[in-house]
Amino acid sequence: MSDMLRQIEPVIPALRRYARALVRNRATADDLVQDCLERAVGHWHQRRDDGNPRPWLFAILHNLAVNQFRRTATRVQHVAIDEVREHEIGQNASQEQKLMYQDVMKKLAVLPDEQRAVLLLIAVEDLTYAEAAKALDIPIGTVMSRLSRARERLQQELERPAGRPSDNVVQLRSNS
């Protein structure tokens, strides 16, 4: 048990970062990590290799997130206005860095889920291509092509001026 905890505990902050980037909600991300850790502890004896558990843990987390996305896509969530805390409705940014962070997160959210997942695992969580491929259960070549497309698209989004619409938006009315 102590060996398992020794291997899992250092990965928890990275799992939380990945979950927060995927679902963009702190409470939901923490619930997702909790579910991931429960599943990992309960199925520790079933993991395939005795080496680094990081790819296995990220695979569990990713699969749980995908299942959650599928469930929420079919359900409409209604929240009473009295139950929403003021900071969840919206707030003004207090620092330029926070605005930049929000801009990057917004542009990251534009990426397709597959590209965003690969980019986060490799660029943020520092997994190797092989580990990311294993976590996402896809070929390493697919990881490399998705990562390339994700980086290219994110670069284009970041270079786009804030007021300029994206290239795939058709304007219905002229400004003249």
Side-chain angles (χ1 to χ4, degrees):
M1 180 75 160
S2 66
D3 182 50
M4 173 181 53
L5 293 175
R6 184 181 53 75
Q7 291 183 36
I8 290 177
E9 195 171 356
V11 184
I12 293 173
L15 291 171
R16 289 181 79 207
R17 275 192 310 270
Y18 182 58
R20 285 182 183 171
L22 280 177
V23 298
R24 295 179 296 279
N25 178 299
R26 182 177 292 229
T28 305
D30 288 344
D31 290 344
L32 200 59
V33 171
Q34 178 68 30
D35 291 345
C36 171
L37 294 174
E38 286 176 12
R39 194 162 290 186
V41 169
H43 296 84
W44 185 255
H45 63 282
Q46 294 177 344
R47 71 187 203 291
R48 291 184 202 130
D49 58 57
D50 295 325
N52 185 3
R54 278 176 64 97
W56 182 67
L57 291 168
F58 278 107
I60 293 171
L61 182 71
H62 181 80
N63 291 334
L64 288 170
V66 167
N67 290 340
Q68 182 178 355
F69 292 150
R70 288 180 183 147
R71 280 193 308 269
T72 56
T74 59
R75 268 189 284 155
V76 176
Q77 184 179 2
H78 297 281
V79 179
I81 192 75
D82 297 339
E83 295 175 11
V84 179
R85 292 177 288 212
E86 187 176 328
H87 76 276
E88 291 174 335
I89 295 173
Q91 67 182 15
N92 293 332
S94 59
Q95 299 174 355
E96 185 177 336
Q97 186 176 20
K98 185 173 182 180
L99 287 172
M100 288 175 22
Y101 170 79
Q102 289 173 344
D103 188 42
V104 169
M105 292 306 290
K106 205 180 294 182
K107 298 198 188 240
L108 190 60
V110 172
L111 295 177
D113 291 338
E114 304 85 25
Q115 291 178 9
R116 184 173 58 248
V118 169
L119 183 67
L120 290 171
L121 287 174
I122 291 174
V124 177
E125 300 308 332
D126 205 26
L127 263 66
T128 65
Y129 290 177
E131 290 171 335
K134 190 175 189 178
L136 298 174
D137 195 27
I138 56 176
I140 196 166
T142 304
V143 167
M144 293 188 297
S145 64
R146 285 182 185 175
L147 179 62
S148 174
R149 279 185 252 125
R151 286 177 173 163
E152 183 178 321
R153 181 148 182 206
L154 186 60
Q155 183 66 34
Q156 290 171 353
E157 290 292 328
L158 290 171
E159 290 173 353
R160 183 183 332 274
R164 188 174 150 234
S166 74
D167 295 336
N168 61 357
V169 173
V170 177
Q171 288 191 349
L172 298 177
R173 187 181 294 178
S174 69
N175 294 337
S176 51

